[in-house]
Amino acid sequence: MEAERTPNAGLTPRAAVNRLVPYSPGKPIAETKREFGLTDVIKLGSNENPLGPSPKAVQAMQCALAELHLYPDGAAFSLKEALAAHCGVPSECIAIGNGSDELIHYLGIAYLRTGDNIVQGSPTFVRYESAAVLNEANCISVPLKDLTHDVDAIADALNDRTRLVFLANPCNPTGTMNTKAEVERLIDRLPPQALLVLDEAYAEYVTSPDYPNSLDYVKAGKPVIVLKTFSKIYGIAGLRVGYGLARPDIIRAVEQVREPFNVNTLAQVGALAALSDTEHLERSRANNTAGRRALESAFTAMGLTYAPSQGNFIFVNIGTDCRPVYQMLLSKGVIVRTGDIFGLPTYLRVTIGTPAENARFLAELSAALIG
């Protein structure tokens, strides 16, 4: 009988790996049903499109099922060409990722060296800091001002070791927006070795006329990469597909570290069809704009303050510890996101749903706050 093997004490991960904190996603519907014995649950915690995916995308993916024995197009040629036409840039200015967060990961690999730093607002999307930690770079976090990225303070924090500057616009988790003038002030103050990463996951929901046209920076050859996603307004979060727009030398760096076949066949087919479905996009935008106004009006009537959102979610201050209220909402089948994970324990982040979902959330929130 083979002797029992003893663990190899020398087999340990890099220290940077031990510093990483696994991403904590929003609570799934199935888990909530099991936990509370519910049959009807609405999910307003992960900023998904409540109208679902484009019917054109669903049909296109169904037609592609018979080809799943073949590897996907590693270059994502058709999707890149469609995005190039959509954005008005050459395909050499586009990188496709398994979600835009994969592109964040690739940017860290491509540009960060030990001892470099990234600069970000705080709180913000957690994957920016992860890119720094994994590549043994430092993370300089600049507090938000009035729940909005303080671009001047971010610029003040830049130094000769700054390689990546992350700006989520609109900001997640607060939904606030930086204007064209603010973004351009930051670009003008970038040190020569730094790249601005403009994360525009929620850009299609923006209604403010002061929002920057980030493609202008790409076309002008600025040191900027713009990240977009099909997970939000396009309603195909389950497929994991995003893209980056930048001048060709930046895209080449991303392509050098990209995994082969990183975006699967159904994701490419679904994204291509979703991009063409302008009717679904406009329905989604209209639902969001109306829902945002309705929730903001209701919060005002309830005496609650909130961040002025330009996304598909609202960050609302409920004036009390968010965890008990979150649990009460869960028990009633309403999933939202707590603000304590962002260092703001009296806030909830709620995704804008359908009119019926919004009404249900407001009724349950009112009952929870009164109770």
Side-chain angles (χ1 to χ4, degrees):
M1 184 176 181
E2 185 178 355
E4 183 177 347
R5 295 181 181 272
T6 56
N8 184 345
L11 184 62
T12 58
R14 293 188 297 120
V17 174
N18 288 329
R19 290 171 54 206
L20 290 171
V21 178
Y23 181 72
S24 177
K27 199 173 184 70
I29 291 176
E31 181 181 333
T32 304
K33 287 181 176 181
R34 290 193 302 269
E35 183 176 342
F36 294 96
L38 301 170
T39 58
D40 183 16
V41 173
I42 59 172
K43 187 180 179 188
L44 302 177
S46 297
N47 302 340
E48 296 147 332
N49 187 336
L51 303 187
S54 156
K56 290 183 179 180
V58 173
Q59 182 179 19
M61 289 185 288
Q62 289 172 337
C63 293
L65 290 173
E67 297 183 357
L68 292 187
H69 60 297
L70 302 174
Y71 282 105
D73 177 2
F77 176 83
S78 296
L79 181 55
K80 277 189 180 181
E81 288 296 305
L83 285 169
H86 178 73
C87 299
V89 299
S91 59
E92 293 79 11
C93 293
I94 300 173
I96 309 294
N98 186 249
S100 56
D101 25 350
E102 184 184 46
L103 297 175
I104 294 167
H105 176 66
Y106 290 158
L107 288 168
I109 296 172
Y111 286 104
L112 295 177
R113 304 169 177 86
T114 300
D116 285 340
N117 66 63
I118 72 165
V119 179
Q120 62 171 23
S122 180
T124 193
F125 186 44
V126 298
R127 301 310 296 171
Y128 308 151
E129 184 171 3
S130 296
V133 170
L134 184 61
N135 294 285
E136 300 180 336
N138 300 310
C139 179
I140 299 174
S141 293
V142 178
L144 302 184
K145 182 179 181 181
D146 299 326
L147 297 179
T148 305
H149 287 300
D150 186 343
V151 296
D152 297 313
I154 288 174
D156 289 341
L158 307 178
N159 58 45
D160 60 1
R161 295 305 302 269
T162 302
R163 299 283 291 179
L164 298 174
V165 184
F166 288 96
L167 189 75
N169 195 30
C171 175
N172 181 13
T174 65
T176 55
M177 183 201 85
N178 288 106
T179 65
K180 178 178 185 288
E182 290 171 334
V183 171
E184 291 179 0
R185 283 208 309 273
L186 180 57
I187 293 173
D188 289 342
R189 293 186 60 186
L190 290 174
Q193 79 288 346
L195 173 66
L196 176 61
V197 184
L198 273 178
D199 189 345
E200 295 189 343
Y202 302 96
E204 292 84 1
Y205 290 111
V206 173
T207 55
S208 170
D210 294 327
Y211 191 66
N213 182 357
S214 57
L215 288 176
D216 288 344
Y217 312 138
V218 175
K219 294 173 183 177
K222 300 289 186 181
V224 172
I225 182 167
V226 181
L227 302 184
K228 304 275 193 178
T229 184
F230 284 90
S231 294
K232 305 305 178 185
I233 201 167
Y234 289 103
I236 50 176
L239 292 175
R240 313 303 303 123
V241 56
Y243 59 103
L245 300 146
R247 66 189 193 211
D249 62 300
I250 298 169
I251 296 301
R252 279 196 298 271
V254 173
E255 289 292 323
Q256 287 289 99
V257 299
R258 180 177 62 82
E259 294 290 337
F261 309 116
N262 62 318
V263 180
N264 70 71
T265 296
L266 294 186
Q268 293 185 39
V269 169
L272 185 60
L275 187 66
S276 71
D277 194 347
T278 55
E279 290 182 6
H280 182 72
L281 184 140
E282 290 303 329
R283 281 195 301 271
S284 299
R285 183 182 286 124
N287 176 77
N288 191 76
T289 300
R292 190 163 63 200
R293 290 172 181 158
L295 286 176
E296 289 173 347
S297 296
F299 292 149
T300 299
M302 295 168 69
L304 304 179
T305 59
Y306 54 88
S309 178
Q310 285 290 314
N312 69 335
F313 56 92
I314 299 178
F315 204 53
V316 57
N317 188 352
I318 60 173
T320 188
D321 184 359
C322 65
R323 294 302 304 189
V325 175
Y326 167 76
Q327 289 295 331
M328 291 182 70
L329 291 172
L330 272 186
S331 71
K332 299 298 183 179
V334 178
I335 303 171
V336 295
R337 196 82 153 149
T338 60
D340 59 332
I341 61 175
F342 306 111
L344 294 162
T346 64
Y347 280 80
L348 292 174
R349 191 191 72 187
V350 55
T351 304
I352 297 162
T354 63
E357 289 171 336
N358 296 336
R360 180 174 169 185
F361 159 73
L362 289 169
E364 297 297 352
L365 176 64
S366 180
L369 292 176
I370 292 172

